[in-house]
Amino acid sequence: MTAYTRITVAPISGALGAEISGVSVADELDAETIGEIRAALLDHLVIFFRDQDLPVDRHKAFTRRFGDIFIHPNYQLGQEDKETVYLLRRPGDTSVAGENWHADTTMMETPPMGAILYALETPEFGGDTLFANQYRAYDALSDAMKAMLDGVQAAHSDIRIAGPQSGVNAKRSSQVRADADWRPTVNTHPVVQIHPESGRKGLFVNPIYTTHLDGMSDAESTPILDFLYRHQCRPEFTCRFRWKQGSIAFWDNRCTLHLAIHDNHDCVRHMQRTQIAG
Ligand code: SIN
């Protein structure tokens, strides 16, 4: 673990996640501070900041310190700024974006390396986000299962969560592309990914985007994926973040999953998100 001198880092669970204090994310931060934030992300996989004031231009400037901004292919309908996604919940929504375990946008050939989510408006209670450590999920598999998964590729598609056939826009305030010209994006990734910075192995499948294991029949692929989906979010691999207005979550999309809990159906919850290209 890193010895921090610019920031204070306080883990929030034994599995992953740490709150960072002593920094104002909207400021022009020096290279040492950015280096420590990046180290904290690698050490803890998801990091949180509290009581931040982050106008969208400063949100994007902070994001660019970690890489290029990823443009989401299914959001920003009619919005001039293509670099920011707004995730909105309103009373009456029966579904919300990201309400099942997932890493973001894994149907892309190169999925984003991370995301920075800022809370503009939050409910008094509820609407927490869960995160799960996929290194731990991989490490906890038996040697026989690890050997079986070695070299297996999984197909990922956005067919369930965008496009006219998904039906999601009728259920929620955050709208995605659903026009007749929309086509699913499909790519394959290894089920076990080696993280490019840590060199550690982690599981890289998720029940929102993964559709099947390549080269296997559905009868073979479905039970294996069902097992992995149950296994990869076991409570001992997770942490839970309670939002307040001004909170930020910054996750490493290469080694974590997350899930947005839809437990308060009468609230407004408004989030501003950027993603960092992989
Ligand atoms: C997401 O899945 O990126 C959104 C998470 C959340 O709204 O808590």
Side-chain angles (χ1 to χ4, degrees), residues 251-270:
W251 60 87
D252 188 330
N253 199 50
R254 302 163 295 186
C255 54
T256 60
L257 297 185
H258 57 283
L259 177 153
I261 304 176
H262 189 207
D263 58 349
N264 183 342
H265 298 220
D266 298 321
C267 70
V268 173
R269 181 180 183 273
H270 196 195

Side-chain angles (χ1 to χ4, degrees), residues 115-153:
I116 302 176
L117 185 66
Y118 172 63
L120 296 167
E121 184 175 352
T122 54
E124 216 178 302
F125 54 86
D128 296 356
T129 305
L130 303 176
F131 295 88
N133 179 335
Q134 296 308 290
Y135 297 138
R136 288 222 178 166
Y138 174 77
D139 290 345
L141 293 172
S142 66
D143 288 345
M145 180 57 92
K146 285 178 184 161
M148 206 270 284
L149 294 175
D150 193 33
V152 175
Q153 301 270 330

